Amino acid sequence: MRGRAPQWRRAACACAALLAAAALATALAWNSIFESVFASQVALKPDTRSFRDWVAPTVPLFFEVYLFNWTNPENFPEETPNLVELGPYRFREHRRHVNISWFPENGTMAYMTQRTWYFDADTSNGTLEDNVTIINVIAASAIYRARHWGYLRQKGLSMGLAMFGQGISVSRLAGELLFEGYDDPLMEIAKNLPASTTGGAPPLDRFGLFYGRNNSIDTDGYVEITTGETPGVLPGQIVRWNHLDHLPFYEGSCAKMAGSAGEFMPHNLTEETQLEIFMGDLCRTVYFNYSATQSHMGLNYHKYELTKTSFDYSPLAPNNTCFCKEECGWSGVMNVSACRFGAPAFLSLPHFLHGDADLRSKVDGLHPDPDKHSFYFGVEPKLGVPVDVSARFQFNVYLEPIPNIALFANVPRMLFPVFWVQQKVVLEEKVAAELRMVRAVSDWGATICACVALTFAGIITLASCCKKSQFKKPKDIIVTLEKPRDEAEMKLNPNEKQ
Ligand SMILES: *[C@@H]1O[C@H](CO)[C@@H](O)[C@H](O)[C@H]1NC(C)=O
Ligand SMILES: *[C@@H]1O[C@H](CO)[C@@H](O)[C@H](O)[C@H]1NC(C)=O
Ligand SMILES: *[C@@H]1O[C@H](CO)[C@@H](O)[C@H](O)[C@H]1NC(C)=O
Ligand SMILES: *[C@@H]1O[C@H](CO)[C@@H](O)[C@H](O)[C@H]1NC(C)=O
Ligand SMILES: *[C@@H]1O[C@H](CO)[C@@H](O)[C@H](O)[C@H]1NC(C)=O
Ligand SMILES: *[C@@H]1O[C@H](CO)[C@@H](O)[C@H](O)[C@H]1NC(C)=O
Ligand SMILES: *[C@@H]1O[C@H](CO)[C@@H](O)[C@H](O)[C@H]1NC(C)=O
Ligand SMILES: *[C@@H]1O[C@H](CO)[C@@H](O)[C@H](O)[C@H]1NC(C)=O
Ligand SMILES: *[C@@H]1O[C@H](CO)[C@@H](O)[C@H](O)[C@H]1NC(C)=O
Ligand SMILES: *[C@@H]1O[C@H](CO)[C@@H](O)[C@H](O)[C@H]1NC(C)=O
């Protein structure tokens, strides 16, 4: 019995030492361990949860459209256009990623996006039968394409527009203006024109602001992203868009295709980080700067926002000038004509928020408000999970006076707002609870391991002390091990120890 006890003790000591070392190592390496487990979970592989959540998201998505009803078109251009905002017309969005191909040798995958929208009559403010008046986008597009033509061709177009009864505005039902589309004699003509005069746009039989997008897999294009399997590479970063690795519309740094494709954010974000997100709708990479730290359902997140300089073309933002082709126009807008088959399409923030004051002086009824109209990504900084996202932009049509075309002879040079859209994503409570837990594990894991290491270290010390001073009573050891009372107290009660 006497010979066996030290042996047993030695084994226990060795075991405890091993566990202490393991716990200590875990504590020290906690961040890397967490990183690699996390990285393996967020990487896009056919069997990960990340992939299942991505391929057919179950998060409720809403697409909200606000239309600007033009109430005084008969007095244009003498009277400033008066716009009344209608909406939101709310659509539930069902999104799927389809036609997925994997390229494991490159650490990438490619996909297309198919979206279906369902009108949500209950939560919309308005119906699809609302009679809405907007600028005549078809005529404005035809005239924009003709702005550099010669006198005779312009006169010809002018007569053609008059013959087909084209006015400066159109009044249609909201449903027709949005997804359903409406017939227009000009569309018939456009179908028979050579592609060069229509900018290569696919011939459509109807016109609608979102006509042809419902259930289409082509709208967002063919996207190639990183899977995150290659060490050190984040998942969801854009590699190619429609088989190109740069933007053909611009030159220099503006042609750079980079950043997240919108669904995966980098992690370890700081206040200095600039979020880089590629947006097919804007045909460019957009940069978001940190603006605030907010809290939602017990989760702190960083808000990254579009600011005044995001679409500024003044010398204050030299990096933006490569987006201008002929001249740098108003700041606060993005000329997306080049990637919309030459249509006079300009995107801005809703109500020209952060835009040039001249834009707002040409129309009545716009009231920019950062709370309602800003474009931001709220991201949990450590894990890079989007918590609160509001993607918003406004579609505007460019007008300029063209003396030879009667319809546009006297129009001011301006951007005419047509509609704005909002896509909000707010985390569900179930996911938020999960995130809070992951966050706690990541924050406290190292501390807990360190405590475990300390405990085992304590046991070893205890055991080895036992071995050295076998004659001491266990009680003494406990007293020497823990040192809860300060010396003064011990001096005051010298007898207590005995
Ligand atoms: C994130 O930060 C942790 C430490 O805070 C570090 O170990 C890790 O490498 C970082 N990850 C990335 C992707 O930068
Ligand atoms: C839009 O404006 C026109 C002209 O003022 C008006 O007749 C129509 O009722 C308005 N539409 C809605 C939905 O308010
Ligand atoms: C609904 O739309 C009307 C204008 O058509 C507007 O005055 C009203 O504020 C809107 N209501 C909400 C809740 O947005
Ligand atoms: C699906 O992806 C393949 C590439 O793997 C591509 O060739 C094909 O055109 C895609 N299908 C559609 C309908 O675009
Ligand atoms: C994979 O990478 C190679 C070499 O960089 C490239 O030639 C090839 O086109 C890539 N394949 C895909 C599908 O991206
Ligand atoms: C989109 O298509 C689906 C059928 O696939 C249809 O049920 C839905 O009403 C359409 N949405 C709109 C806005 O037209
Ligand atoms: C819509 O309103 C305009 C006038 O604002 C009117 O001329 C047109 O007939 C109306 N359309 C419908 C379908 O009610
Ligand atoms: C955004 O951040 C970048 C880099 O951190 C900086 O160069 C730029 O000036 C910032 N822009 C604004 C508007 O703060
Ligand atoms: C601006 O451009 C310069 C040179 O092209 C580049 O070094 C810098 O990082 C760019 N800044 C931003 C915020 O993109
Ligand atoms: C918009 O951009 C296109 C091509 O990038 C250019 O040809 C056109 O002149 C620009 N429009 C205006 C009004 O600046």
Side-chain angles (χ1 to χ4, degrees):
M1 189 68 197
R2 272 210 82 165
R4 260 178 132 179
Q7 214 174 1
W8 169 85
R9 218 179 268 134
R10 221 174 292 138
C13 252
C15 197
L18 214 69
L19 287 172
L24 192 68
T26 313
L28 293 177
W30 182 255
N31 278 334
S32 344
I33 292 170
F34 181 80
E35 273 294 312
S36 65
V37 171
F38 183 69
S40 72
Q41 280 305 300
V42 297
L44 284 167
K45 275 183 283 180
D47 52 350
T48 58
R49 169 166 168 199
S50 167
F51 175 73
R52 287 194 301 273
D53 286 347
W54 171 84
V55 77
T58 52
V59 186
L61 296 170
F62 288 96
F63 180 69
E64 296 176 324
V65 189
Y66 293 83
L67 285 165
F68 288 112
N69 191 18
W70 185 9
T71 59
N72 58 349
E74 56 286 345
N75 301 325
F76 187 70
E78 292 75 37
E79 258 178 44
T80 309
N82 185 52
L83 305 178
V84 176
E85 182 184 283
L86 300 177
Y89 298 93
R90 211 156 193 258
F91 296 86
R92 258 182 312 114
E93 179 180 324
H94 180 50
R95 186 184 296 185
R96 290 162 307 259
H97 292 105
V98 296
N99 201 16
I100 293 165
S101 346
W102 300 91
F103 304 109
E105 69 279 12
N106 290 10
T108 62
M109 66 175 291
Y111 63 90
M112 299 176 97
T113 309
Q114 184 176 34
R115 307 194 221 189
T116 310
W117 287 278
Y118 302 93
F119 184 62
D120 191 348
D122 299 335
T123 58
S124 292
N125 183 19
T127 70
L128 294 181
E129 282 74 48
D130 288 350
N131 187 352
V132 183
T133 305
I134 61 170
I135 182 107
N136 186 345
V137 181
I138 306 177
S141 301
I143 295 170
Y144 182 73
R145 288 201 183 98
R147 72 196 191 288
H148 299 311
W149 288 0
Y151 173 80
L152 278 180
R153 284 181 83 196
Q154 287 191 340
K155 275 290 178 202
L157 177 66
S158 180
M159 276 156 60
L161 291 171
M163 210 163 74
F164 286 105
Q166 294 290 319
I168 191 80
S169 69
V170 292
S171 294
R172 295 283 163 170
L173 303 185
E176 294 177 328
L177 289 177
L178 300 176
F179 285 97
E180 205 181 309
Y182 60 90
D183 284 319
D184 192 286
L186 276 192
M187 301 299 291
E188 286 299 318
I189 305 174
K191 265 197 276 187
N192 302 315
L193 289 176
S196 60
T197 41
T198 61
L204 291 173
D205 47 344
R206 293 164 81 79
F207 174 82
L209 298 167
F210 307 114
Y211 180 68
R213 290 193 169 212
N214 195 17
N215 293 314
S216 159
I217 66 168
D218 297 318
T219 312
D220 291 347
Y222 181 77
V223 180
E224 203 177 313
I225 58 169
T226 56
T227 56
E229 279 187 281
T230 318
V233 174
L234 292 167
Q237 306 294 297
I238 192 139
V239 178
R240 284 175 213 215
W241 187 45
N242 294 326
H243 308 283
L244 289 175
D245 62 1
H246 65 279
L247 296 166
F249 324 114
Y250 310 112
E251 270 146 30
S253 65
C254 296
K256 186 175 138 204
M257 194 184 291
S260 157
E263 282 150 313
F264 291 86
M265 301 291 151
H267 46 296
N268 276 1
L269 297 171
T270 67
E271 296 178 6
E272 282 72 46
T273 316
Q274 217 181 3
L275 270 195
E276 224 181 10
I277 296 175
F278 178 76
M279 264 172 220
D281 276 330
L282 285 164
C283 321
R284 63 170 277 193
T285 304
V286 185
Y287 303 89
F288 291 77
N289 273 28
Y290 171 84
S291 68
T293 295
Q294 295 187 341
S295 178
H296 175 68
M297 294 194 286
L299 273 173
N300 284 335
Y301 64 90
H302 283 182
K303 209 163 147 179
Y304 295 88
E305 240 174 308
L306 285 187
T307 61
K308 229 177 158 60
T309 43
S310 306
F311 301 124
D312 187 3
Y313 306 110
S314 70
L316 289 174
N319 282 21
N320 283 342
T321 47
C322 49
F323 286 117
C324 324
K325 268 277 157 64
E326 288 154 27
E327 51 172 329
C328 283
W330 300 280
S331 60
V333 297
M334 186 69 210
N335 175 358
V336 293
S337 173
C339 65
R340 297 288 157 87
F341 306 111
F346 281 67
L347 299 181
S348 65
L349 288 176
H351 291 239
F352 294 129
L353 179 71
H354 302 321
D356 201 312
D358 181 53
L359 293 166
R360 273 197 307 280
S361 72
K362 301 270 169 59
V363 285
D364 285 337
L366 298 187
H367 308 285
D369 175 350
D371 288 340
K372 289 191 213 152
H373 303 136
S374 66
F375 190 150
Y376 63 86
F377 279 84
V379 185
E380 203 292 321
K382 173 112 187 173
L383 308 172
V385 176
V387 172
D388 173 15
V389 177
S390 277
R392 299 162 167 147
F393 59 80
Q394 176 172 304
F395 175 86
N396 312 282
V397 171
Y398 175 81
L399 309 183
E400 70 176 17
I402 298 182
N404 299 328
I405 298 177
L407 199 56
F408 269 36
N410 300 313
V411 303
R413 184 171 172 271
M414 67 179 291
L415 290 185
F416 204 104
V418 179
F419 68 89
W420 66 275
V421 296
Q422 159 170 297
Q423 270 181 298
K424 279 178 93 78
V425 180
V426 180
L427 212 60
E428 292 171 291
E429 174 50 40
K430 191 180 79 200
V431 186
E434 231 172 286
L435 274 183
R436 281 196 299 269
M437 208 187 75
V438 175
R439 191 61 223 252
V441 168
S442 115
D443 289 351
W444 295 100
T447 315
I448 291 168
C449 287
C451 288
V452 171
L454 264 180
T455 311
F456 281 119
I459 293 172
I460 299 163
T461 321
L462 188 142
S464 53
C465 285
C466 249
K467 205 169 76 185
K468 275 180 204 146
S469 48
Q470 299 217 345
F471 311 111
K472 275 190 183 169
K473 285 175 218 149
K475 195 181 164 215
D476 296 331
I477 296 151
I478 290 165
V479 171
T480 46
L481 256 183
E482 55 171 49
K483 204 186 162 197
R485 284 162 292 184
D486 56 10
E487 300 208 22
E489 195 190 340
M490 285 194 217
K491 274 177 200 148
L492 278 176
N493 306 305
N495 295 331
E496 203 191 287
K497 223 180 164 189
Q498 258 68 39

